[in-house]
Amino acid sequence: MCRFVIYKGTSPVQLSHLLTRPCHSIINQAFDSRLRLDRRRPMNGDGFGVGWYDSVFDEELGSQPCIFTSVTPAWNNVNLTRLAEKIKSPLVFGHVRATTAGSLSLDNCHPFVHGKLMFMHNGGIADFHLMKRRLQKDLPDVAFDMVQGNTDSEWAFALFLSKLPDCNARSFTSETLRQAMAETIATLNDYAEEFDITEPSLMNFCVTDGESVVVTRYISSKKDEAASLWFSSGTEFSEYAEGGHYKMSKADKRENIIMIASEPLTFERADWMEIKTNHMVIITPKMNLLQIPIKDKFYVPPSDPAALSRATEFAQEKGLLNPRKGISSLETTTKSSRRPVHTH
């Protein structure tokens, strides 16, 4: 299965600090995951993609993001390594892929883009082939014509675009993106019900317009845990020990950096907080992070004991959920072999 990482900061980050240098970066997770273990397909080697926005607006370049994708394994792509050392951005999407739907091609690599918008998906829409024609029928031309590949993820993005008042708008509010995302999930659930699809769909979606970010951790089930999703925030994300050991520092109460990832990028347990199943996270342009429950027929309120006893087997079997004990045990193992880096 796929995995992704999101970075939003008040200052631009060098892409290498997210993608290539950390010992548990998303690239290293692609072939050496310690927490999310998929015994069916242990490697995310079916392509990758990274998207970013310019640090300073240039009228000639426009406001749309730049995307670099490849069907080669991310850990073996020298161009990615070169670019990551020379590009900085305040908002970055990174994605590594293990195919579950759609062929191995550049058109199927995330992130997907339309105008200012970038979109990624981690998970899978159950029995998508049954609802695909129904979904396509409901799309306006602008959303239908956007699709270049054949994944459930890109068609979900097209559906999202159809929920926006104007998908070609020059700006979007956080609330507009939130509402469109909620309607996208609701419509996919309606299709599943219409076609008697009973297997849960895993819908960890994320979208940004370069200002706001909306992310979901969601499964169409009241009994199962969704694919894992974590966030970290602070004032600085930096290497503190040789070998690519990074940590998030909090010098004060400011949130200069917010990161969201399928699997934590560090083994520091205190760095990361788990996003709750069937919740939506919104990062506003002013760097506020809001976590909002998605209240539909699959919502379980915190007061219900069932909220604490969702089954993990479904997501774990698909390699989309890491055991909670894994972070603490790996943290202990990793710390035992660390030496501090001395700077002069």
Side-chain angles (χ1 to χ4, degrees):
M1 281 286 189
C2 309
R3 64 188 73 219
F4 61 61
V5 63
I6 301 163
Y7 173 96
K8 179 171 169 57
T10 56
S11 298
V13 66
Q14 188 172 316
L15 266 58
S16 60
H17 291 302
L18 292 178
L19 303 177
T20 57
R21 291 189 185 183
C23 62
H24 201 57
S25 70
I26 189 174
I27 303 304
N28 288 335
Q29 291 173 23
F31 70 91
D32 186 24
S33 176
R34 312 290 180 84
L35 300 176
R36 267 192 181 193
L37 300 178
D38 185 352
R39 292 177 176 81
R40 305 163 308 131
R41 303 204 62 188
M43 294 188 180
N44 298 102
D46 297 327
F48 68 89
V50 57
W52 66 92
Y53 294 84
D54 293 327
S55 300
V56 179
F57 175 73
D58 186 304
E59 188 171 353
E60 184 178 1
L61 296 178
S63 59
Q64 68 274 18
C66 183
I67 305 292
F68 174 59
T69 58
S70 175
V71 295
T72 64
W75 63 83
N76 197 34
N77 190 292
V78 67
N79 287 327
L80 174 62
T81 303
R82 291 166 176 164
L83 289 171
E85 292 292 333
K86 291 296 182 179
I87 294 173
K88 286 187 173 183
S89 172
L91 206 165
V92 181
F93 273 20
H95 188 280
V96 291
R97 185 169 182 249
T99 57
T100 56
S103 57
L104 181 62
S105 71
L106 285 175
D107 288 336
N108 288 334
C109 290
H110 309 220
F112 304 109
V113 178
H114 179 81
K116 285 187 65 177
L117 297 166
M118 244 189 335
F119 183 95
M120 297 188 294
H121 176 207
N122 175 215
I125 300 172
D127 291 324
F128 181 70
H129 64 284
L130 298 179
M131 67 173 76
K132 183 176 179 180
R133 288 297 296 271
R134 177 74 167 84
L135 183 157
Q136 292 172 333
K137 181 181 177 182
D138 289 345
L139 295 178
D141 288 347
V142 64
F144 183 90
D145 293 340
M146 178 276 304
V147 178
Q148 301 296 313
N150 57 356
T151 63
D152 56 348
S153 304
E154 192 176 14
W155 285 110
F157 181 34
L159 182 63
F160 171 85
L161 295 177
S162 75
K163 303 299 183 182
L164 293 168
D166 178 8
C167 65
N168 293 317
R170 300 187 67 175
S171 63
F172 302 88
T173 66
S174 300
E175 175 58 23
T176 297
L177 298 178
R178 184 206 67 78
Q179 183 64 32
M181 185 67 82
E183 292 179 10
T184 299
I185 290 174
T187 300
L188 289 169
N189 285 337
D190 288 344
Y191 292 152
E193 186 172 344
E194 179 180 341
F195 291 96
D196 297 319
I197 298 169
T198 57
E199 179 180 324
S201 289
L202 291 154
M203 293 185 260
N204 284 15
F205 294 140
C206 51
V207 70
T208 182
D209 65 342
E211 302 289 337
S212 303
V213 180
V214 174
V215 188
T216 62
R217 183 186 181 200
Y218 185 87
I219 185 171
S220 55
S221 168
K222 295 186 73 170
K223 299 179 180 179
D224 297 293
E225 197 78 84
S228 62
L229 198 62
W230 303 77
F231 79 89
S232 180
S233 61
T235 52
E236 184 181 15
F237 182 68
S238 59
E239 185 177 17
Y240 74 96
E242 292 177 351
H245 296 292
Y246 279 66
K247 67 178 180 180
M248 183 72 77
S249 302
K250 296 177 183 288
D252 50 47
K253 293 183 178 180
R254 293 175 300 165
E255 303 292 2
N256 293 341
I257 297 169
I258 298 176
M259 298 169 61
I260 297 177
S262 303
E263 182 176 326
L265 270 63
T266 74
F267 296 129
E268 298 295 317
R269 181 172 52 181
D271 284 357
W272 296 88
M273 294 289 292
E274 188 175 24
I275 295 169
K276 298 175 183 177
T277 284
N278 286 17
H279 277 65
M280 186 181 299
V281 169
I282 300 167
I283 307 174
T284 70
K286 293 185 177 181
M287 297 294 289
N288 296 313
L289 187 146
L290 312 172
Q291 190 169 173
I292 303 170
I294 300 172
K295 294 185 176 180
D296 58 12
K297 63 183 179 180
F298 300 113
Y299 175 67
V300 181
S303 57
D304 189 330
L308 300 175
S309 59
R310 284 180 176 265
T312 60
E313 289 79 10
F314 182 77
Q316 282 182 341
E317 287 173 1
K318 296 180 180 293
L320 287 169
L321 187 67
N322 48 269
R324 291 178 177 84
K325 293 181 181 179
I327 293 179
S328 57
S329 62
L330 277 168
E331 179 188 10
T332 302
T333 302
T334 308
K335 280 183 176 178
S336 65
S337 61
R338 290 178 187 163
R339 293 177 299 169
V341 171
H342 300 284
T343 56
H344 301 280

